[in-house]
Amino acid sequence: TISQAGLVGGGSIPQPGEISLSHNGILFLDELTEFKRTTLEVLRQPLENKTVAIARAQQSVTFPASCLLVAALNPCPCGYLGDPKKDCTCSPMSVDRYLQKLSGPLLDRIDLQINVQSVEYETIKDKSASLSSADLYEPVKIAVAVQQDRFKDNTVHNATMAPEMIEKHCQLSDEAE
């Protein structure tokens, strides 16, 4: 039920919205298709530009909005489309209407989209194959060192690379391409 102003900012006295409050962090939107389409559409500019510009008669304000957007949604209204254990009860038209809340331009700004099947409780509680934060510390430390060496600048990271930097530093071998 969040409003456009609540998500991106606004008001008669401009205030930052959730996307600015999550600057340099993660903005998690659960049940993405339950948001009003018009509310979701206002995310397009901030996701692309990493800023929110709010113009009012007496002033214009720009807020930072560089965040990692993580969103979750069901595959259909009943939630069981493609589920191996339970049949979906939705008509193709209702599935289409459900997914139409998400525009192509908004989806284009979501770099990674993954369909995840439901997970059994026994799998979740099994700790034998999980990694702890301590296990991940060294590989992350190495990755940060590689970035710092690559850019010679502590303010630039892989996530903030401009297109020309990607072309320079992310050369694919023929096999990888």
Side-chain angles (χ1 to χ4, degrees):
T1 61
I2 193 169
S3 67
Q4 293 178 16
L7 191 56
V8 296
S12 55
I13 299 172
Q15 298 289 315
E18 293 298 325
I19 196 165
S20 292
L21 296 173
S22 63
H23 180 67
N24 288 334
I26 298 169
L27 176 61
F28 177 57
L29 301 179
D30 196 13
E31 300 293 349
L32 191 64
T33 50
E34 298 301 321
F35 288 78
K36 293 178 187 165
R37 184 181 174 122
T38 55
T39 301
L40 291 175
E41 288 301 303
V42 297
L43 286 174
R44 288 168 42 186
Q45 178 264 335
L47 289 172
E48 187 158 321
N49 298 343
K50 309 292 187 207
T51 61
V52 173
I54 300 170
R56 295 293 176 260
Q58 280 96 11
Q59 66 177 334
S60 291
V61 179
T62 301
F63 294 115
S66 181
C67 68
L68 174 64
L69 173 65
V70 177
L73 63 133
N74 288 318
C76 65
C78 79
Y80 293 107
L81 183 67
D83 191 293
K85 297 179 194 103
K86 189 164 182 177
D87 290 333
C88 173
T89 59
C90 304
S91 70
M93 190 175 357
S94 70
V95 173
D96 189 48
R97 189 171 43 251
Y98 177 78
L99 295 175
Q100 286 299 317
K101 283 191 164 186
L102 307 175
S103 72
L106 177 63
L107 291 173
D108 287 346
R109 288 161 175 84
I110 300 175
D111 296 326
L112 184 60
Q113 299 174 25
I114 303 170
N115 292 325
V116 179
Q117 294 294 323
S118 59
V119 180
E120 295 293 326
Y121 176 72
E122 293 301 318
T123 304
I124 294 171
K125 78 174 196 173
D126 179 14
K127 304 285 188 213
S128 64
S130 65
L131 294 173
S132 69
S133 295
D135 295 331
L136 297 172
Y137 179 73
E138 280 304 314
V140 169
K141 198 165 106 176
I142 291 167
V144 168
V146 168
Q147 285 182 99
Q148 289 174 339
D149 184 55
R150 176 185 300 138
F151 301 120
K152 310 289 187 244
D153 180 350
N154 287 340
T155 63
V156 179
H157 300 91
N158 289 346
T160 58
M161 290 171 64
E164 61 274 4
M165 295 172 87
I166 293 170
E167 288 179 20
K168 178 181 176 184
H169 296 293
C170 301
Q171 300 281 326
L172 294 177
S173 66
D174 291 338
E175 186 177 315
E177 196 168 321

